[in-house]
Amino acid sequence: MSYTEKLYNLVQNKFKRIPLANVQTFGCVQNENDSEKIRGVLAQSGYEISDNFEDSDIVIFNTCAIRENAELKIFGNIGKLKALKADKPDMIVAVCGCMVMQPHIVAKIKKSYPFVDIVFGVNSIEELPYIVYNWYIDNKRAVSDPVVKTDIVEDIPVYRQSKSKATISIMYGCDNFCSYCIVPYVRGRERSREPENILKEFKQLVADGYKDITLLGQNVDSYGKNLSPQIDFADLLSMLCKVEGDYVLHFMSSHPKDITRKVIDTIRDNPKISRQIHLPVQSGSNRILKLMNRRYTVEQYKDIISYAKQQIPDVGFSSDIIVGFPGETYDEYLETENLVKELNFTQLFTFIYSKRNGTKAAEMEDYVPHSEKAERLNRLIKIQQDIFFKYLESFNGKTVCALVEEEKTGGYTARMANTLVVHFKTDKTSLMDSFVNLKITGKKGTVLTAELLNK
Ligand code: SAH
Ligand code: SF4
Ligand code: F3S
């Protein structure tokens, strides 16, 4: 008997009702994709998935280590469970994900959070039934450093809450070692899934009616490096786009050093691929990019953007920026500011550099005061806000296609392939999870308003 079945039988007998499981995501889309697998494994083991942690029999925190404030927030949330656990000793509290791949974090949980019962690693999701089963059997705390595993486990059940939007991991880990980043340390070496397995999952999603599908990897452009027969990311995109159906294909993230003209040409030639590309630039200064170990220059970055704009007139780029990298001078920050003004990103995710123990940048001298970094961040946010409002205004009067995501009183909220959100009013019902054609009439805050056109 598998541990999934054993756990299923055990919880049926123990609770005499359907037990509830609550899984909370604190990280990126990759992290949420893992949460969907954790929910899938628990659902298969007899749990009902709940949004409410107070009533749940198992609460799992799927954590992130990307910046210090992410970790502080997670510890705050774990701390809130102390009283609940005292009332409900049978409730399991588990912590998994990137943050617990760091030994100093596991040591802290072990010592200061005695009510945490289980810690498991990013690549141990399929072992969860075994881990939980054993906890019920011997009631022993399972808090130790997770084993770093590098194999790819296929066919883990996935529990998707949305009926129209889905993500597929096409690869795991990262080999880039950008000097500020913890991901390669916590997620291990880069490995790609076999294209047949991705295709199978993709076809199933399309057959199930999913309309917005995102391929995930820390650097999708290096997909396929160690696979044979040889395949690259552009080939994978072409292969998937041959699947017939009504959907938009997205991917993230691309890396400026690896995105090729072939990828751009493939997007140009396949209308099913979103015209919105996330291409994190991180900084507008070549000296800082070098210290970050990003392995491209600002000029190379601009080259690929201008090639894309020339090939795909309606392409849009979003980006990530880190301000206050160790030693970033004011002038170097200004180079970033100028690049942002020049490139008109459709969306910008801006972060203050956060020191991560164990990374190269953690050893670099960092003399810029935090207040100065915060000021740089606020200036960038303001600049981008103006760019964004102009971008929103550029849609006025245009006809767009969007996927309906949420019902609102007297109407719906929909999302365009470029991720912009649109509100529209209608008395029509049953538009959820379908594509609609809309005419943009204006904007309200950061959201577009529209009227529904007949299909
Ligand atoms: N693999 C993806 C993104 C990973 S993390 C990529 O390379 O694009 C998402 C973003 O978090 C990064 O692009 C970067 O801007 C930011 N980030 C990563 N480490 C950080 C750190 N130590 N401090 C601040 N921001 C960081
Ligand atoms: Fe981190 Fe760089 Fe890898 Fe992205 S590419 S996950 S920023 S090391
Ligand atoms: Fe994602 Fe955070 Fe891990 S950004 S890969 S969950 S460190």
Side-chain angles (χ1 to χ4, degrees):
M1 201 193 284
S2 71
Y3 273 97
T4 304
E5 289 166 284
K6 282 187 175 179
L7 180 60
Y8 187 95
N9 293 338
L10 187 149
V11 293
Q12 295 291 312
N13 287 330
K14 182 178 166 66
F15 291 103
K16 310 273 186 260
R17 60 171 168 85
I18 299 177
L20 300 177
N22 173 251
V23 183
Q24 300 180 30
T25 307
F26 289 89
C28 59
V29 251
Q30 189 87 63
N31 197 237
E32 175 57 22
N33 183 273
D34 288 343
S35 290
E36 291 181 339
K37 291 181 184 143
I38 296 169
R39 293 186 191 109
V41 166
L42 291 173
Q44 209 177 39
S45 309
Y47 286 85
E48 185 177 306
I49 306 306
S50 166
D51 287 337
N52 181 345
F53 70 89
E54 273 118 340
D55 299 339
S56 289
D57 300 290
I58 177 164
V59 179
I60 298 188
F61 291 97
N62 191 10
T63 64
C64 173
I66 202 81
R67 284 169 288 274
E68 192 186 9
N69 52 13
E71 295 187 340
L72 294 175
K73 183 176 157 201
I74 293 161
F75 275 117
N77 277 277
I78 299 175
K80 282 190 205 150
L81 249 59
K82 188 178 178 181
L84 188 63
K85 174 80 179 173
D87 275 353
K88 285 174 66 181
D90 250 7
M91 177 183 78
I92 296 179
V93 178
V95 186
C96 66
C98 295
M99 189 177 86
V100 298
M101 301 310 287
Q102 307 170 96
H104 73 277
I105 295 283
V106 177
K108 181 170 167 179
I109 292 177
K110 212 170 189 167
K111 183 162 168 258
S112 310
Y113 296 81
F115 54 93
V116 172
D117 304 299
I118 291 171
V119 160
F120 63 97
V122 277
N123 298 314
S124 305
I125 295 172
E126 77 287 356
E127 289 170 34
L128 199 52
Y130 167 82
I131 300 170
V132 175
Y133 179 84
N134 278 321
W135 189 87
Y136 283 129
I137 295 293
D138 58 20
N139 239 285
K140 261 210 333 253
R141 240 187 140 197
V143 177
S144 53
D145 285 337
V147 181
V148 180
K149 289 171 53 189
T150 54
D151 49 332
I152 294 181
V153 182
E154 291 292 344
D155 297 323
I156 299 179
V158 186
Y159 180 98
R160 293 187 165 95
Q161 251 139 353
S162 166
K163 298 220 167 351
S164 56
K165 278 176 84 165
T167 55
I168 301 183
S169 291
I170 60 165
M171 58 209 293
Y172 302 97
C174 183
D175 281 351
N176 288 305
F177 290 95
C178 301
S179 64
Y180 50 81
C181 184
I182 196 75
V183 173
Y185 302 90
V186 294
R187 290 228 167 224
R189 297 291 57 73
E190 178 185 294
R191 55 234 181 253
S192 297
R193 284 176 74 194
E194 293 291 341
E196 312 72 87
N197 293 332
I198 298 170
L199 182 63
K200 191 174 127 201
E201 188 174 351
F202 186 77
K203 276 184 173 161
Q204 188 58 52
L205 287 174
V206 175
D208 289 345
Y210 283 89
K211 295 194 164 51
D212 183 290
I213 303 173
T214 305
L215 308 179
L216 296 182
Q218 295 301 343
N219 176 3
V220 290
D221 302 299
S222 66
Y223 172 79
K225 258 191 193 153
N226 302 315
L227 294 179
S228 78
Q230 225 182 356
I231 178 166
D232 64 19
F233 182 56
D235 301 330
L236 179 75
L237 283 175
S238 304
M239 183 180 91
L240 297 178
C241 283
K242 292 204 180 83
V243 176
E244 291 204 8
D246 192 18
Y247 60 84
V248 182
L249 182 58
H250 306 262
F251 55 85
M252 70 181 298
S253 292
S254 267
H255 195 303
K257 80 174 162 60
D258 293 310
I259 189 167
T260 57
R261 291 190 171 206
K262 186 176 166 193
V263 169
I264 303 292
D265 295 348
T266 308
I267 300 171
R268 178 197 61 204
D269 299 338
N270 287 286
K272 285 192 177 331
I273 306 175
S274 160
R275 268 62 191 126
Q276 183 67 38
I277 304 175
H278 186 59
L279 195 64
V281 63
Q282 313 298 358
S283 168
S285 149
N286 281 332
R287 189 185 80 91
I288 295 295
L289 285 175
K290 195 149 196 216
L291 287 174
M292 287 177 162
N293 192 30
R294 290 289 288 179
R295 288 173 276 172
Y296 55 82
T297 61
V298 174
E299 292 70 29
Q300 285 163 335
Y301 185 84
K302 286 195 209 166
D303 268 359
I304 192 74
I305 294 226
S306 66
Y307 179 74
K309 287 192 170 161
Q310 182 198 326
Q311 296 299 317
I312 315 166
D314 56 343
V315 75
F317 282 91
S318 56
S319 204
D320 293 348
I321 300 261
I322 297 176
V323 297
F325 185 82
E328 181 191 68
T329 64
Y330 184 65
D331 283 349
E332 285 164 342
Y333 159 74
L334 283 181
E335 290 185 72
T336 302
E337 199 178 289
N338 289 332
L339 187 75
V340 167
K341 285 180 185 159
E342 182 186 334
L343 291 182
N344 276 316
F345 292 113
T346 54
Q347 226 183 339
L348 198 61
F349 301 89
T350 39
F351 309 103
I352 292 181
Y353 165 77
S354 171
K355 181 176 168 179
R356 303 286 68 206
N357 282 337
T359 63
K360 280 264 153 51
E363 292 155 25
M364 298 177 191
E365 202 186 340
D366 187 5
Y367 43 80
V368 181
H370 187 82
S371 56
E372 170 70 34
K373 295 183 181 190
E375 206 179 304
R376 292 178 193 179
L377 180 83
N378 288 335
R379 268 179 66 163
L380 260 192
I381 291 174
K382 173 81 187 57
I383 289 166
Q384 184 59 26
Q385 220 168 36
D386 293 343
I387 295 173
F388 183 69
F389 283 134
K390 286 203 187 93
Y391 175 56
L392 282 183
E393 276 159 16
S394 75
F395 284 92
N396 230 335
K398 282 195 182 153
T399 300
V400 304
C401 175
L403 180 62
V404 178
E405 280 192 350
E406 203 186 332
E407 227 170 323
K408 288 259 150 105
T409 28
Y412 292 93
T413 297
R415 197 177 287 271
M416 289 157 61
N418 59 16
T419 75
L420 289 182
V421 178
V422 194
H423 280 324
F424 65 97
K425 293 203 183 323
T426 178
D427 47 19
K428 277 195 183 159
T429 51
S430 72
L431 288 181
M432 269 302 283
D433 298 317
S434 64
F435 284 119
V436 288
N437 290 320
L438 301 168
K439 187 170 180 199
I440 305 297
T441 51
K443 65 175 171 61
K444 211 173 182 182
T446 56
V447 168
L448 289 167
T449 52
E451 56 195 39
L452 179 67
L453 300 175
N454 285 331
K455 268 197 173 179

